[in-house]
Amino acid sequence: MVCLEWWSFEFVVLCSGFLPKPQIETSVLNISLNTACFVYMIPFGLGAAVSTRVSNELGAGRPEAAKLAVRVVLCLTITGGIIVGTVLIFVRNIWGYAYSNEAEVVKYVAIMLPLLAISNMIDSIQSVLSGVARGCGWQKIGAFVNLGAFYVVGVPSGILLAFVFSIGGKGLWIGLTCGIFVQVVLLSIITLCTNWEKEEIKTKNRVFSSSFPTDIDARTIEKDNGENTKKRVFC
């Protein structure tokens, strides 16, 4: 799930090298990607937290608590996305100086940051929904969603906007934002249509059907004099 998304961002940066003024385009997109990674750590952490919480609650037989955790983390993520997006917009004219002294680069970064604020807001919601998918054991579904969202919609849209409509690096980033939006829509539909009671049953079945590796047997128990030592084997 994660690799399919990250590779699409790296691919877009590589595509920027074929644009007019490739040095400027590549520099700005690298700065944008670096900034996106920096601000993404907040929703990524919340996504990891909700993944653990949802899986634990479902395993404990508390589907309502799992639903509550999803709502709470979504509220936190949306609030954080609004705050981070606002900060990015306010610092757009000076943020580029953290990476370059070139006036053209700084000006281009100032144009990209509002787009970055929008994509971060959408990506924050995606991070939580992806965490829910991992917590419910939907990794395969999430991988197909990411594959379709980024490689059927996102990357082709970015290439079309950048090279056909001559929007440049902004077009590449807008294409990725479209991919993230599709990803959020699909994951939202899956989450809203989830029967949490059935997911609880599936989770319990996975837990009860799991077993220890077959190489754990009596041979792993060390024998001694048998005095003052008690060992237990859980199976």
Side-chain angles (χ1 to χ4, degrees):
M1 290 176 63
V2 176
C3 286
L4 287 172
E5 180 177 357
W6 282 111
W7 289 343
S8 65
F9 281 84
E10 297 290 347
F11 181 75
V12 162
V13 173
L14 291 175
C15 289
S16 66
F18 296 98
L19 292 169
K21 298 182 179 181
Q23 292 181 342
I24 297 296
E25 297 285 1
T26 305
S27 298
V28 171
L29 278 179
N30 268 308
I31 293 171
S32 300
L33 180 59
N34 197 352
T35 305
C37 293
F38 175 68
V39 298
Y40 183 68
M41 289 300 103
I42 299 173
F44 186 75
L46 291 173
V50 75
S51 175
T52 304
R53 185 62 183 269
V54 166
S55 60
N56 286 343
E57 296 295 354
L58 290 177
R62 295 191 291 264
E64 292 299 324
K67 291 167 62 176
L68 178 61
V70 175
R71 296 192 189 104
V72 170
V73 177
L74 275 175
C75 292
L76 289 174
T77 303
I78 292 173
T79 303
I82 293 173
I83 294 173
V84 171
T86 303
V87 172
L88 287 176
I89 292 174
F90 277 123
V91 303
R92 65 185 185 278
N93 292 319
I94 60 174
W95 185 254
Y97 287 109
Y99 299 90
S100 175
N101 292 324
E102 296 288 336
E104 189 175 3
V105 172
V106 174
K107 185 178 179 180
Y108 201 163
V109 170
I111 296 173
M112 290 291 294
L113 280 186
L115 297 176
L116 188 60
I118 296 172
S119 65
N120 176 72
M121 179 65 191
I122 303 173
D123 208 17
S124 299
I125 300 173
Q126 172 274 135
S127 178
V128 173
L129 296 177
S130 294
V132 174
R134 292 191 297 271
C136 294
W138 302 335
Q139 282 84 350
K140 184 180 293 185
I141 297 175
F144 282 116
V145 167
N146 288 4
L147 184 65
F150 288 103
Y151 296 94
V152 176
V153 178
V155 173
S157 298
I159 293 174
L160 184 68
L161 292 172
F163 294 97
V164 177
F165 293 96
S166 301
I167 302 180
K170 297 188 295 295
L172 291 173
W173 200 267
I174 292 171
L176 285 178
T177 305
C178 292
I180 298 171
F181 179 76
V182 172
Q183 183 188 24
V184 169
V185 170
L186 294 176
L187 290 176
S188 297
I189 293 173
I190 294 171
T191 304
L192 290 173
C193 295
T194 298
N195 187 322
W196 293 97
E197 286 72 21
K198 288 185 177 180
E199 292 300 322
E200 172 204 350
I201 296 173
K202 291 179 182 179
T203 304
K204 285 186 175 180
N205 290 336
R206 285 196 296 267
V207 172
F208 293 143
S209 63
S210 62
S211 61
F212 288 99
T214 56
D215 59 347
I216 299 180
D217 53 24
R219 291 176 298 177
T220 61
I221 303 175
E222 297 180 358
K223 295 182 179 181
D224 54 15
N225 293 329
E227 297 177 359
N228 303 324
T229 302
K230 293 182 180 180
K231 293 185 179 290
R232 295 179 180 180
V233 177
F234 294 88
C235 61

